Amino acid sequence: MSLLFRFLMGLFMSIFCALSLSLFVPIVMGVPIVWMGVLMGTIYGTIIGTLVMTVLPVIPLSMKYAVKCGAKEGSVAWFLLKDVLLCTFMLLIISFCLTWINTGMDAQFVDRWLATAPIMWIINYAVAIQAEPLCLFLASKISRTNPFEAPAPAPAAPGDMSPDA
C-alpha cells in the first residue's frame, strides 16, 4: 500500500469522521450547534486524522484485523469488520484532540472526552461504512493504486542463484 494511497484514504476518511464528530457531538450533548465550531472542528479533525492515518499503519492493521476475524478480503463482512478497528481508533484520536482544543485539559477532561464516545462510535461507524466506498474509489483513482492487489515481488539481484531467478 503506497504512502500516497494511505494519505488520501486518511484525508477522505478523516473529513467524514471529523465532520460527523463536529456536527453530532453538540447534538448528543444537547447544546446548540455553532457552525464556526463545526467548520473548525472539521478542519482540525481532518488535519489530525490525515496525519495519524498517514504516519501510523491504521488502514493495513484494520485490514489484517478483518482477515484475522475470518472475513474474506473485499467481502461485505471484511469491510464491516475493518471499519470497527478504523472507527474506534479514529474516534479516540480525533475526539481526544478536538475535546482538548475546544475545552482544554483539566480534571474533567476524560469525562468530557468519553461522555459521548458510545453514541458517537455508532454514528461514526454508520458514516464510515457509507463513506468508505467513495473514499476508497477516490484514493485508488488519484493514487492509481489497487489496495487489494498484492505488491509485486522484488526483482532478483544480479548473480542471485535462487530457483525463482
Side-chain angles (χ1 to χ4, degrees):
M1 180 174 305
S2 72
L3 184 62
L4 177 61
F5 178 81
R6 279 180 35 194
F7 170 79
L8 291 169
M9 271 302 285
L11 174 68
F12 297 139
M13 288 299 288
S14 294
I15 290 170
F16 286 103
C17 183
L19 179 61
S20 68
L21 280 170
S22 298
L23 185 62
F24 287 105
V25 165
I27 294 170
V28 170
M29 295 294 288
V31 298
I33 295 174
V34 178
W35 293 109
M36 186 54 75
V38 172
L39 176 65
M40 295 311 296
T42 301
I43 291 170
Y44 291 145
T46 299
I47 292 168
I48 293 162
T50 302
L51 288 174
V52 167
M53 286 182 69
T54 301
V55 173
L56 300 178
V58 178
I59 296 170
L61 286 176
S62 64
M63 289 176 167
K64 288 178 185 175
Y65 169 76
V67 169
K68 193 165 190 114
C69 289
K72 185 179 179 220
E73 194 169 322
S75 68
V76 173
W78 181 78
F79 274 103
L80 295 174
L81 285 168
K82 182 174 68 59
D83 283 345
V84 168
L85 186 65
L86 184 83
C87 284
T88 302
F89 190 78
M90 292 306 292
L91 176 76
L92 291 175
I93 296 293
I94 292 176
S95 67
F96 177 90
C97 294
L98 290 180
T99 303
W100 189 357
I101 290 168
N102 289 325
T103 66
M105 183 71 70
D106 60 12
Q108 287 83 35
F109 173 78
V110 174
D111 291 337
R112 286 191 309 271
W113 174 42
L114 297 177
T116 61
I119 294 170
M120 286 311 302
W121 188 90
I122 294 167
I123 292 169
N124 223 9
Y125 182 73
V127 168
I129 60 175
Q130 293 175 29
E132 188 179 18
L134 174 64
C135 297
L136 187 62
F137 173 78
L138 291 173
S140 297
K141 286 295 181 190
I142 294 169
S143 68
R144 298 175 190 195
T145 303
N146 182 355
F148 303 111
E149 188 176 273
D160 186 9
M161 300 304 285
S162 66
D164 295 336

